[in-house]
Amino acid sequence: MGTKNWPLWEIFVRSKNGLEHRHCGSLHAADSDMALENARDVYTRRNEGVSIWVVESKHITASNPENNGELFEPAQDKVYRHPTFYDLPDEVKHM
Amino acid sequence: MSEEQIKNLEEQFEARIARDEKIEPKDWMPEKYRKTHIRQMSQHAHSEIVGMLPEGNWITRAPSLRRKVALLAKVQDEAGHGLYLYSATETLGISRDEMYEQLHTGKAKYSSIFNYPTVTWADMGAIGWLVDGAAIINQVPLCNTSYGPYARAMIRVCKEESFHQRQGYEIMIKLANGTPEQKDMAQDALNRWWWPSLMMLGPTDDVSVHTAQSMKWKLKRKSNDDLRQQFIDQTVPQAELIGLTIPDPDLKWNEEKGSYDFGDIDWDEFWQVVKGHGPMNKERMKARVGAWERGEWVRDAAMAHAEKKQERKEK
């Protein structure tokens, strides 16, 4: 076993211009250049991408599912944030 | 956490899976769920990695450029599939190095099919056609499994793997329609790979230890015996179509149940191979561990280079 392990990187791929980068998986690499090269071989062997982002996994802060209630439930009862909440006369076709 | 709280969480957890909700890495999960997934997913990853060895054996001797690029691409896919699966397994809190160590010390298993030798070019055909065929049957239901990262990895794997089976079958078609010697070579490969391929779908339902729990967690959607029957029913006509004979004198169509009856599988052979006494177990581990050890200086040098570059940037 090597003394120092290659860090883990999260890989994001833009499948074509006009679309966002999407997370597609992770891999190990010594540095960001190698992470890009490996990501190209591992995640874009069949033209899946035109652009790659790599981010070292330790730099990602994720929300805790245990807090999902306080984080996301408040949005559930705010129907007035959606257009269907508002009554319009039938004569108004598009708004 | 009190025992009651855990029991409560477990009930909620099982209910989520029953509702077809996916479990994601940071979600609470029972320890057994985590362990079972680490075991199955890492074994799956190891199988992809060790699975490169029998085919790698023929890359330099492929009979044409067309065959060579296809085989090379297939083996490269297997490396990729191993990597998708390793990183999906890492989300459960085991490190890559721990998984490698489990493989290299024999603590973790890989599919026993890769402990058979690849002695002729026709074996490349038989592996693609039969081994990948059986693997696809095993893997397709896993695209809907309950653990999100595993399901996502399997969707990628299944999408990429359909060419693997086709390229294998194409090799068999060509050989079966070739000279008598080529046809014999194809038949010989089928004879050697048929039974191990059936074994690949796992022990029979009455002795399989993991089935019930795995069904509940959607790690398994169909039983081993059902998958095996599906594989046989789909493969027999493909053999007939190219004039090859399945090496089973008891194989015959059963009109009543609408599927094939088949002969007894030699489970002693299966368990011997699983326990490490197959023809190639030692050779496979020697190749794998050797590659890992010979690569150590490269990994260390890459890390040292990366650190040096970082230091220079910070100065």
Side-chain angles (χ1 to χ4, degrees):
Chain A
M1 293 284 151
T3 40
K4 271 192 189 147
N5 298 326
W6 289 356
L8 190 66
W9 301 76
E10 300 302 322
I11 312 302
F12 301 81
V13 171
R14 183 203 296 287
S15 58
K16 62 177 186 187
N17 277 6
L19 295 178
E20 68 280 63
H21 285 77
R22 278 182 73 170
H23 182 246
C24 65
S26 53
L27 51 77
H28 289 268
D31 58 22
S32 56
D33 289 339
M34 192 196 279
L36 274 177
E37 283 163 13
N38 288 356
R40 174 237 186 220
D41 287 343
V42 177
Y43 292 107
T44 63
R45 288 195 302 283
R46 289 176 174 78
N47 288 316
E48 290 94 336
V50 295
S51 164
I52 302 172
W53 288 350
V54 299
V55 182
E56 205 178 328
S57 308
K58 68 176 185 196
H59 296 310
I60 290 182
T61 308
S63 65
N64 187 334
E66 276 170 32
N67 303 333
N68 275 9
E70 59 205 77
L71 281 178
F72 305 117
E73 270 168 25
Q76 280 172 11
D77 59 2
K78 299 190 171 47
V79 281
Y80 47 86
R81 285 181 176 152
H82 299 276
T84 46
F85 179 73
Y86 299 91
D87 298 322
L88 288 186
D90 291 343
E91 289 78 8
V92 181
K93 293 262 186 311
H94 305 289
M95 184 180 282
Chain B
M1 235 184 294
S2 74
E3 234 168 81
E4 192 166 340
Q5 278 172 311
I6 292 181
K7 207 173 151 250
N8 227 329
L9 282 171
E10 275 176 8
E11 274 167 19
Q12 286 172 23
F13 180 85
E14 300 294 347
R16 288 181 64 193
I17 293 183
R19 283 196 301 270
D20 262 333
E21 272 181 44
K22 298 290 180 203
I23 307 302
E24 293 296 342
K26 294 189 73 150
D27 293 347
W28 183 88
M29 60 185 80
E31 218 22 53
K32 200 174 165 216
Y33 181 90
R34 182 186 305 276
K35 287 213 173 100
T36 304
H37 277 75
I38 289 178
R39 194 192 62 237
Q40 176 166 331
M41 291 166 67
S42 64
Q43 276 184 19
H44 198 158
H46 298 327
S47 301
E48 297 283 356
I49 297 302
V50 178
M52 291 192 280
L53 296 169
E55 292 176 303
N57 183 33
W58 280 92
I59 290 174
T60 56
R61 293 174 287 166
S64 70
L65 193 54
R66 178 186 159 92
R67 296 287 178 227
K68 188 169 180 160
V69 292
L71 188 59
L72 204 52
K74 178 176 191 288
V75 172
Q76 198 189 9
D77 273 352
E78 279 150 10
H81 297 172
L83 293 178
Y84 306 156
L85 287 162
Y86 277 132
S87 52
T89 316
E90 280 174 82
T91 63
L92 289 162
I94 184 171
S95 74
R96 184 75 58 98
D97 272 23
E98 279 173 89
M99 284 188 270
Y100 284 162
E101 191 179 281
Q102 290 177 352
L103 173 65
H104 296 166
T105 57
K107 199 182 150 212
K109 300 265 181 276
Y110 54 88
S111 182
S112 58
I113 193 88
F114 302 119
N115 290 316
Y116 290 88
T118 45
V119 294
T120 73
W121 169 250
D123 290 7
M124 297 305 98
I127 287 180
W129 175 35
L130 302 173
V131 176
D132 286 85
I136 291 168
I137 282 183
N138 249 333
Q139 288 170 348
V140 167
L142 288 173
C143 295
N144 285 314
T145 192
S146 64
Y147 188 54
Y150 195 22
R152 291 192 287 276
M154 290 319 301
I155 290 170
R156 296 184 72 91
V157 168
C158 289
K159 227 189 255 172
E160 296 180 354
E161 214 148 69
S162 55
F163 110 73
H164 296 186
Q165 195 186 13
R166 283 174 176 229
Q167 70 89 36
Y169 191 55
E170 198 190 82
I171 291 172
M172 293 305 262
I173 298 173
K174 198 87 181 172
L175 290 172
N177 291 314
T179 64
E181 289 83 2
Q182 286 173 325
K183 188 169 181 182
D184 286 348
M185 198 195 271
Q187 182 63 52
D188 169 64
L190 172 57
N191 293 349
R192 283 179 293 107
W193 290 95
W194 175 252
W195 293 104
S197 299
L198 296 190
M199 294 174 198
M200 239 183 106
L201 295 151
T204 50
D205 295 347
D206 50 332
V207 300
S208 178
V209 282
H210 303 302
T211 297
Q213 181 67 78
S214 295
M215 288 275 194
K216 214 160 107 192
W217 287 338
K218 300 174 182 174
L219 256 179
K220 232 179 187 332
R221 313 300 298 250
K222 283 182 178 178
S223 79
N224 294 349
D225 287 338
D226 287 346
L227 293 171
R228 193 163 13 248
Q229 188 69 56
Q230 185 189 337
F231 175 72
I232 292 169
D233 292 343
Q234 102 180 17
T235 311
V236 173
Q238 294 166 357
E240 283 169 356
L241 190 69
I242 58 175
L244 296 180
T245 310
I246 302 285
D248 178 359
D250 296 322
L251 185 83
K252 64 169 191 293
W253 179 251
N254 183 326
E255 192 64 55
E256 208 175 304
K257 64 170 188 169
S259 63
Y260 283 92
D261 291 332
F262 54 97
D264 290 333
I265 295 171
D266 181 1
W267 290 108
D268 286 343
E269 175 184 321
F270 174 75
W271 291 113
Q272 281 301 312
V273 180
V274 169
K275 284 175 188 145
H277 309 301
M280 298 297 277
N281 295 57
K282 285 207 181 79
E283 175 66 31
R284 298 291 181 241
M285 270 310 99
K286 205 178 122 201
R288 174 65 206 143
V289 174
W292 178 248
E293 286 173 353
R294 285 192 304 277
E296 184 172 341
W297 71 270
V298 181
R299 296 192 298 277
D300 289 348
M303 205 59 231
H305 176 66
E307 283 169 351
K308 212 190 248 174
K309 255 191 349 192
Q310 188 63 30
E311 277 166 28
R312 225 176 280 148
K313 224 171 37 191
E314 279 161 13
K315 253 183 222 163

